[in-house]
Amino acid sequence: MLQASPLALEILKEAGLQQMHIDRCTRLDEAAQTAGISLSALLLALNRELHPTSFDGGAYLNLDTRILLDLLRMQHHDFIDKRLPRLELLARRLQKEVLSQQALLSEILRRLMHLKASLSQHILEEQDELFSYVELMLNYLQKNQGKKELMTALSKESPVHHLIRSDEDDLIFEEIRRLTLNYQPPAGASLMLRHFFAELERFEHELQKHENAEFEVLLGQVLSLENAVLARLAS
């Protein structure tokens, strides 16, 4: 991350992280906890620096938080239960029809299966921990319910780290791009094989857009809810 942007280190320092915190910790959340800094605010600032043009969350900006969570759940379902299985089915069909590319398709298919397992786990944890945390805060603020459960949640590590794509997912996409030469189909590829490569690229692009929008918009709402909860608890 620090190599990706020359300003990232300055953002960390401006937020209160010292060089010793960065050197002693292998993860950003550990460094933030050691320095007593809000991980949520730090991630939001870093995301804006590292991905200044990738945010595409206009459709999410004015949504009620509960509606936003429902929309994100539906999109998660679409990625895991519809689009990845379609890519898998297409790869298996091409293995039978394009004999000259069987080895390549087998490697791509193996990565797709790994991606489905990794992404499914990440999404499950995000919905179980982060979405439940958001709903606890909403219930307390809107209905004055669940204070005890919310206090327990606030005493634990913030679940906002689930908004960050895992290193495993990044590595799988990197391997798929390497295998496909950045989604360039082989010379003389059939129409179906070209379609498959295009769908692979579209899947990664649209998943990244979803994750960026989710990170920017949902994280902002989590920060606002936490501030509102802390203000009410202190009153």
Side-chain angles (χ1 to χ4, degrees):
M1 178 184 66
L2 297 180
Q3 294 176 348
S5 169
L7 293 180
L9 181 58
E10 294 304 315
I11 292 173
L12 294 179
K13 289 182 176 179
E14 287 177 5
L17 283 182
Q18 302 300 316
Q19 190 67 47
M20 63 177 182
H21 299 132
I22 299 170
D23 293 339
R24 291 176 182 174
C25 300
T26 58
R27 292 172 29 149
L28 184 59
D29 57 341
E30 294 174 353
Q33 184 176 10
T34 301
I37 296 169
S38 167
L39 176 63
S40 301
L42 191 59
L43 290 175
L44 189 59
L46 283 170
N47 188 64
R48 285 170 173 160
E49 161 57 25
L50 297 176
H51 305 287
T53 61
S54 61
F55 172 57
D56 187 29
Y60 301 165
L61 284 173
N62 298 314
L63 289 179
D64 173 83
T65 304
R66 294 186 190 275
I67 295 176
L68 173 61
L69 294 180
D70 287 341
L71 173 62
L72 294 175
R73 287 188 180 99
M74 286 189 292
Q75 291 177 343
H76 290 163
H77 170 70
D78 182 67
F79 282 122
I80 296 299
D81 298 326
K82 295 182 179 180
R83 300 185 62 175
L84 271 173
R86 281 201 297 267
L87 286 171
E88 178 189 347
L89 183 64
L90 189 55
R92 294 189 185 282
R93 176 179 172 184
L94 285 166
Q95 276 186 304
K96 298 177 181 179
E97 297 181 359
V98 187
L99 300 182
S100 62
Q101 299 296 331
Q102 275 190 340
L104 171 62
L105 290 165
S106 177
E107 288 298 310
I108 294 174
L109 181 60
R110 186 162 66 89
R111 268 67 174 192
L112 287 175
M113 299 303 292
H114 289 168
L115 180 62
K116 184 177 181 181
S118 175
L119 196 58
S120 296
Q121 180 66 25
H122 178 87
I123 285 175
L124 179 63
E125 291 174 352
E126 179 183 329
Q127 293 185 170
D128 283 351
E129 297 181 26
L130 179 60
F131 287 18
S132 297
Y133 175 59
V134 171
E135 288 167 338
L136 277 174
M137 291 192 290
L138 288 171
N139 287 338
Y140 175 65
L141 291 170
Q142 296 174 356
K143 304 176 183 178
N144 200 29
Q145 296 176 351
K147 181 178 179 180
K148 182 179 179 181
E149 293 83 354
L150 179 57
M151 294 296 290
T152 300
L154 289 170
S155 69
K156 300 177 181 178
E157 177 188 6
S158 173
V160 295
H161 63 88
H162 291 303
L163 290 175
I164 307 172
R165 178 188 288 181
S166 71
D167 291 339
E168 183 178 1
D169 292 349
D170 277 334
L171 181 60
I172 294 171
F173 277 119
E174 182 179 323
E175 290 176 345
I176 292 175
R177 288 193 298 271
R178 176 182 59 80
L179 287 168
T180 61
L181 301 178
N182 286 322
Y183 305 111
Q184 296 301 312
S190 66
L191 178 63
M192 185 66 72
L193 188 57
R194 293 200 303 272
H195 171 70
F196 176 60
F197 274 51
E199 285 299 298
L200 283 173
E201 183 175 21
R202 188 162 73 95
F203 181 84
E204 181 182 7
H205 177 66
E206 293 188 359
L207 180 62
Q208 184 65 63
K209 285 174 61 178
H210 163 83
E211 289 174 342
N212 289 340
E214 180 181 55
F215 187 100
E216 186 85 8
V217 177
L218 183 56
L219 179 55
Q221 293 199 17
V222 171
L223 287 172
S224 296
L225 287 170
E226 286 178 336
N227 288 336
V229 166
L230 292 175
R232 176 176 291 189
L233 290 172
S235 63

